[in-house]
Every structure is written in C-alpha cells, then in structure tokens.
C-alpha cells in the first residue's frame, strides 16, 4: 500500500482565442494505492490492485474536481520453467529436511554422549574393582611376608625374606597405580557429566552403585536389526540426503526448460465528478 500527494502548476496555450494566450493551471492530487499479491503453488502470481485518486484542478475563472478509481486483476503463470508444485515447494521441503537432519544429528550426538557416559561409568566400576583386588593381594602378600619374617630365626634364609619384601613393594606399587586409575576414571566421568556440583577440580570421587549383570543377555537378531534400521540417526540422515538430492535433481531438470509465461489481466476504471 502507498499514499501520495502532489501539487503542481502548469501553463498551457489556449488556441481557441486569437491571439493565442497562456492559461495557468493549478492541479492538486491525492492518490491511495493498495492491493494484495499471492504466490500460487503452481509457480504463478495473482495480484489484485486498486487505486483511488482525487484531483482538484483550478484554471482562471473555473474550478472542478473529480474522483477516479482503478481496479486491476493480474495473473502470471509459468508454463514451462518454474511450473509445478514440486519445483516451487522445493525450498520448503529442503528446509523441512534440513530441520529433520539437525534433529537426527542432535539424536546422534546425544546417543554418543550416553554411550560415552555409560562406558565411563563402567570403567569406574572396573577400576574400583581392580583396586579392591590389588589391595587384597597386597594384604595377602604382607601376611605371607610377616609369616616368613616370624620364622626368620628358624628355617627362613635372608634371600627368601628379601624376595618376600620385594613382592610386597611390587604389590604396593600396583595398588598405587590402581588408585590413580580410579581417580582418572572418576575424572573422565565427571567431565562427561559436567555438573557444577561435581567438578573435575574437586577431590570427590564418583562411587558407582550399580554392578554388572551376572545373567547372560539374550536378544533377537531380527528385532535388533529392524529397530536399528528404524532408529539409527545415520540411516535417517542418509535417507534425508537421498530425498534432498532427488528434489534438487527435479529442480535442475526444470531449470533447463525455456521460459514461457501466461499473462492475463483485467482492469476496471471509474470516474466521478462532484456536481
């Protein structure tokens, strides 16, 4: 829509009198233009437009004004290039597919994060279990060394006692390494959790509550493959890429066609003067 106002002065020759004279003319106009335009699914455009104009004209000795109304209906429709809903809705479909692709990528990222968190959790479980085993071995080795040391004055020679002491120190170093592995596994899990209450810089260790299942896991291979085909984000992304390629191929084929457009218009005009 638009509105316009104009005022002007012109000089026109009067050829009806002799000698000819110059007539000054003053004209003031008010114009209002508005309309609607809609793009069709077939690729065309339909437009309805109306214009209302009021004009006030003054010449020496007379003054008159009038209203003029125009109504126009225009239709433009491609017949070859750009014709068809498949071509004109291509960008919409591609945008929807792009949204679905981002959703699938988000699902893929979340699935990978969940798998990483689960793996890190069980790593903490196994590392703590290994620390428990290493600690028990150290305690048993110390007990064996102490028994040998108690018999040092009877039937244990210094070489065997020295060997027992070396085993104790070896087990102790294994326990130290196992403790470090527990801390590393706990820090890795805390990094994935990314909780403000459980930062990596704290000395708090994650204490798992669950234990690995002892019963064997059974599953149906056909059901597992079917569910994977329906829910794997990688497969959904591949299908969306195939659809996008098919749409772009149709649009490219249509762009090879020559331009041939149908243009149709109808106009109505009315003029009214005040008595």
């Amino acid at each position: 829509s638009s509105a316009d106002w104009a005022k002007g002065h012109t000089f026109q020759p009067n050829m009806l009198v002799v000698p000819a004279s110059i007539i000054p003319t003053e004209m003031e106009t008010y114009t209002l233009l508005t309309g609607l335009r809609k793009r069709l699914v077939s690729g065309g455009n339909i437009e309805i437009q109306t214009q209302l104009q009021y004009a006030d004209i003054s010449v020496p000795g007379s003054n008159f004004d009038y209203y003029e109304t125009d109504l126009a209906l225009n239709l433009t429709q491609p017949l070859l290039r750009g014709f068809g809903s498949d071509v004109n809705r291509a960008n919409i479909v591609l945008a929807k597919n792009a949204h679905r692709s981002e959703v699938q990528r988000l699902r893929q990222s979340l699935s990978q994060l969940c798998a990483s968190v689960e793996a890190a959790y069980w790593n903490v479980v196994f590392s703590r279990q290994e620390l428990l085993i290493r600690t028990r071995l150290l305690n048993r080795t110390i007990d064996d060394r102490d028994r040998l040391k108690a018999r040092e004055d009877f039937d244990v020679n210094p070489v065997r006692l020295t060997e027992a002491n070396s085993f104790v120190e070896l087990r102790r170093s294994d326990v130290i390494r196992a403790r470090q592995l527990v801390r590393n596994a706990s820090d890795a899990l805390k990094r994935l959790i990314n909780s403000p209450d459980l930062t990596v810089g704290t000395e708090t260790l994650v204490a798992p509550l669950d234990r690995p299942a002892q019963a064997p896991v059974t599953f149906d291979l056909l059901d597992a493959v079917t569910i994977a085909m329906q829910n794997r984000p990688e497969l959904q992304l591949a299908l969306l890429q195939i659809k996008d390629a098919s749409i772009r191929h149709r649009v490219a084929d249509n762009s090879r066609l020559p331009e041939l457009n149908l243009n149709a218009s109808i106009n109505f005009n009315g003029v009214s003067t005040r008595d």
Side-chain angles (χ1 to χ4, degrees):
S1 300
S2 63
D4 185 57
W5 170 81
K7 184 175 182 180
H9 297 270
T10 60
F11 297 92
Q12 299 179 355
N14 186 2
M15 306 301 296
L16 300 178
V17 298
V18 180
S21 60
I22 301 299
I23 302 176
T25 303
E26 180 179 343
M27 185 174 182
E28 185 175 6
T29 60
Y30 299 86
T31 305
L32 176 63
L33 178 65
T34 185
L36 296 173
R37 179 183 301 168
K38 180 176 176 59
R39 184 172 180 86
L40 304 176
V41 179
S42 60
N45 290 290
I46 186 170
E47 180 182 13
I48 183 171
Q49 181 176 310
T50 181
Q51 177 176 293
L52 177 63
Q53 185 179 63
Y54 168 74
D56 185 6
I57 302 176
S58 298
V59 295
S62 66
N63 185 15
F64 68 96
D65 55 1
Y66 67 92
Y67 292 93
E68 181 179 2
T69 304
D70 294 326
L71 179 64
L73 179 64
N74 302 316
L75 173 65
T76 302
Q77 176 59 56
L79 299 179
L80 294 177
R81 183 189 300 179
F83 175 78
S85 60
D86 292 342
V87 176
N88 292 277
R89 288 176 55 86
N91 291 331
I92 298 176
V93 177
L94 290 174
K96 290 182 178 179
N97 289 343
H99 176 263
R100 296 191 186 101
S101 298
E102 292 302 322
V103 171
Q104 295 301 324
R105 290 189 180 93
L106 177 60
R107 287 185 55 200
Q108 184 178 12
S109 299
L110 292 177
S111 298
Q112 293 174 352
L113 178 59
C114 291
S116 300
V117 171
E118 185 174 3
Y121 177 85
W122 291 118
N123 191 25
V124 172
V125 173
F126 297 148
S127 61
R128 290 174 68 91
Q129 189 69 24
E130 183 179 0
L131 175 60
L132 180 61
I133 294 173
R134 297 294 183 184
T135 303
R136 290 177 179 175
L137 289 175
L138 174 61
N139 294 332
R140 291 181 181 179
T141 306
I142 292 175
D143 292 339
D144 292 341
R145 191 272 314 271
D146 292 341
R147 283 195 297 268
L148 292 176
K149 190 173 183 179
R151 298 166 54 190
E152 182 179 4
D153 297 334
F154 297 96
D155 57 351
V156 177
N157 56 40
V159 175
R160 189 175 180 184
L161 185 59
T162 302
E163 184 179 13
N165 288 326
S166 65
F167 283 148
V168 169
E169 297 304 323
L170 179 62
R171 298 300 184 189
R172 199 186 306 277
S173 64
D174 291 340
V175 169
I176 294 174
R177 283 194 294 268
R179 286 176 181 172
Q180 187 61 39
L181 290 176
V182 170
R183 181 167 296 279
N184 293 339
S186 178
D187 291 343
L189 181 58
K190 288 193 290 185
R191 280 193 294 269
L192 291 174
I193 296 175
N194 195 23
S195 174
D197 299 329
L198 193 63
T199 60
V200 180
T202 60
E203 296 295 329
T204 305
L205 297 178
V206 178
L209 299 178
D210 295 336
R211 292 294 182 266
Q214 301 296 328
V217 178
T218 59
F219 59 90
D220 184 81
L221 180 59
L222 180 60
D223 291 341
V225 173
T226 303
I227 295 174
M229 294 289 290
Q230 294 175 352
N231 297 285
R232 289 290 295 181
E234 298 87 348
L235 297 178
Q236 299 298 323
L237 284 172
L239 292 175
L240 289 172
Q241 291 174 357
I242 293 174
K243 292 180 180 179
D244 290 348
S246 177
I247 293 172
R248 293 189 177 94
H249 182 265
R250 288 199 299 268
V251 174
D253 282 344
N254 183 268
S255 300
R256 296 169 56 193
L257 298 175
E259 290 187 1
L260 179 62
N261 298 332
L262 172 65
N263 296 316
S265 62
I266 183 172
N267 295 277
F268 298 94
N269 181 267
V271 179
S272 175
T273 60
R274 291 197 300 180
D275 297 334

